[in-house]
Amino acid sequence: MFLFDAHLDLSMNAMEWNRDLRLSIAEIRDREKGMTDKPDRGKGTVCFPELRKGNIGIVVATQIARFVERGNPLPGWHSPEQAWAQTQGQLAWYRTMEKDGELVQLRNWQDVQKQLTSWETSKEEKKPIGYILSLEGADSIVTLDYLERAYEYGLRALGPAHSAPGRYAQGTDATGFMGPKGQALLKEMERLNIILDATHLCDDSFWEAMDHFNGPVWASHNNCRTLVNHNRQFSDDQIRELIRRGAVIGGVLDAWMMVPDWVRGVSDPKQMNCKLEIVVDHMDHICQLAGNALHIGIGSDLDGGYGREQSPYDLDTIADLQRIPDMLAKRGYSSEDIANVAHGNWLRFLEKAWTNQG
Ligand SMILES: [Zn+2]
């Protein structure tokens, strides 16, 4: 079945992990043997050949660069200008991959329709994977006029915050509001019709964003707080608000967001019984709140700074996402529901957001 994955950090992996995503997963893992600079060395699960193997023909792919104030111990750039430059390097990589026929950027609904058709009909072994450009954390938007520049090169979604206090909004493990600067960002996003990605917003900033943003909202990679009690996951009230606004929420496969009590660098997926099926529990919870299967999808985040050591133990590569439809079928989801979860909900969302049709 055709799959849509709403969250991958492809360019971060290329430019910071130094992974050539055109290679096979075996080659990428092999090249990292003996490296210890990142916890997931030799354990990556995402590359272009595996995306094709999993029939994942459209992804939302990020630019990402954090700014940190003096005294913030998190890794990040020391000025927004440096963060912007980092995202421009990432953009240059996406462009080079487009030139090489590995990726194709999707900027509007016609692009999406074209991609669906060519993916289905192409007999090529190396068919281009469609990507929608998103920015995870807005720190690199030096001033608001940078956002229009970003829109012009194809930016179509933006999460104002990431895992930290941010320049425009407060993210995971932070607290506090977006304030006038964040609200101005939301206004400019609305003018440009950039999708608001609610993922990573802390509770205060989340509710403030809901109050001030009238454009399309999705949550690209988010699980449920009822199942894993942490501020990174959404409470039932937040999920209900997203449903009310027509959002789609992407189930995420980072082990610590799937099962409770995960300790980074210590817990083991097998011992924690973290298997692929758990993400369906999160999806199912959202469906119970919604009373339908129209608000969930996949937002795997499988290359978000971790690999097999922090992924479901029965997942080898991203191609294994192809097992999710079967898992839904076993739980009694209809074939129409399953197609919606695999791709239909994200596509319907985009059609509405990009053609202004009801
Ligand atoms: Zn993230």
Side-chain angles (χ1 to χ4, degrees):
M1 182 170 290
F2 184 86
L3 295 187
F4 184 124
D5 185 344
H7 191 80
L8 288 173
D9 297 311
L10 298 175
S11 65
M12 181 187 87
N13 278 265
M15 303 309 294
E16 290 174 62
W17 268 244
N18 196 7
R19 288 173 172 161
D20 183 354
L21 298 179
R22 296 171 297 184
L23 301 177
S24 73
I25 206 72
E27 281 174 280
I28 293 172
R29 287 174 182 169
D30 192 57
R31 185 102 191 239
E32 296 180 1
K33 262 192 194 144
M35 292 173 76
T36 53
D37 60 322
K38 315 256 188 211
D40 57 328
R41 284 300 183 196
K43 300 187 185 97
T45 62
V46 178
C47 63
F48 297 151
E50 292 300 317
L51 282 163
R52 293 189 185 100
K53 202 164 116 190
N55 201 17
I56 304 163
I58 301 181
V59 302
V60 179
T62 63
Q63 296 169 296
I64 178 167
R66 180 189 288 139
F67 161 72
V68 285
E69 298 270 12
R70 192 175 187 138
N72 183 340
L74 287 168
W77 297 100
H78 291 184
S79 70
E81 288 81 358
Q82 287 166 281
W84 169 263
Q86 175 75 2
T87 64
Q88 299 314 291
Q90 294 168 346
L91 176 67
W93 176 79
Y94 284 120
R95 289 283 185 258
T96 321
M97 291 301 101
E98 288 175 54
K99 250 202 153 91
D100 197 33
E102 296 279 353
L103 295 176
V104 58
Q105 191 180 50
L106 312 179
R107 296 165 170 246
N108 54 51
W109 182 241
Q110 288 86 328
D111 288 349
V112 172
Q113 287 173 303
K114 236 169 79 186
Q115 171 66 5
L116 292 171
T117 311
S118 68
W119 186 266
E120 205 177 306
T121 54
S122 169
K123 296 276 171 281
E124 275 176 75
E125 203 190 315
K126 194 184 97 173
K127 47 186 177 182
I129 298 154
Y131 81 99
I132 294 156
L133 190 64
S134 178
L135 179 64
E136 187 165 25
D139 289 355
S140 59
I141 301 298
V142 180
T143 52
L144 279 190
D145 52 310
Y146 281 69
L147 193 61
E148 183 156 7
R149 281 165 71 181
Y151 182 83
E152 276 161 17
Y153 63 63
L155 187 76
R156 291 294 178 269
L158 190 160
H162 189 228
S163 303
R167 294 179 61 231
Y168 296 93
Q170 312 313 317
T172 302
D173 290 331
T175 52
F177 293 95
M178 298 181 73
K181 208 170 146 182
Q183 290 174 21
L185 176 82
L186 293 174
K187 214 167 171 192
E188 183 67 355
M189 288 170 64
E190 208 176 300
R191 185 182 74 81
L192 295 165
N193 197 29
I194 293 176
I195 295 159
L196 169 65
D197 189 346
T199 293
H200 282 294
L201 289 172
C202 75
D203 290 3
D204 293 337
S205 288
F206 173 92
W207 290 109
E208 186 179 2
M210 293 304 121
D211 281 347
H212 287 87
F213 187 72
N214 301 301
V217 182
W218 70 22
S220 62
H221 56 306
N222 244 108
N223 285 345
C224 308
R225 201 175 292 180
T226 297
L227 302 179
V228 177
N229 188 12
H230 186 279
N231 70 72
R232 172 66 178 82
Q233 277 65 249
F234 282 143
S235 69
D236 286 357
D237 277 349
Q238 289 173 309
I239 292 168
R240 280 192 202 98
E241 173 65 13
L242 290 168
I243 291 166
R244 195 183 67 74
R245 299 180 64 121
V248 179
I249 303 168
V252 51
L253 293 171
D254 192 337
W256 85 267
M257 292 189 251
M258 296 176 72
V259 293
D261 306 319
W262 181 274
V263 183
R264 279 169 199 273
V266 176
S267 295
D268 170 77
K270 185 94 205 206
Q271 277 167 6
M272 300 295 282
N273 195 30
C274 181
K275 52 183 174 179
L276 188 54
E277 175 116 33
I278 304 278
V279 77
V280 182
D281 295 343
H282 287 269
M283 290 174 168
D284 194 63
H285 181 74
I286 294 168
C287 292
Q288 301 310 324
L289 293 175
N292 59 52
L294 297 172
H295 298 277
I296 56 163
I298 298 166
S300 79
D301 196 23
L302 275 169
D303 59 359
Y306 62 95
R308 291 190 68 195
E309 81 291 352
Q310 201 172 297
S311 302
Y313 67 80
D314 54 348
L315 178 142
D316 181 37
T317 76
I318 193 162
D320 287 314
L321 294 182
Q322 199 52 245
R323 287 169 30 224
I324 291 176
D326 262 354
M327 292 173 176
L328 291 163
K330 279 206 190 93
R331 294 197 191 198
Y333 282 73
S334 71
S335 51
E336 191 190 336
D337 284 344
I338 294 167
N340 276 334
V341 178
H343 55 259
N345 290 335
W346 294 121
L347 293 176
R348 193 188 59 247
F349 179 98
L350 286 172
E351 181 176 18
K352 191 173 172 207
W354 287 353
T355 62
N356 296 316
Q357 284 169 11

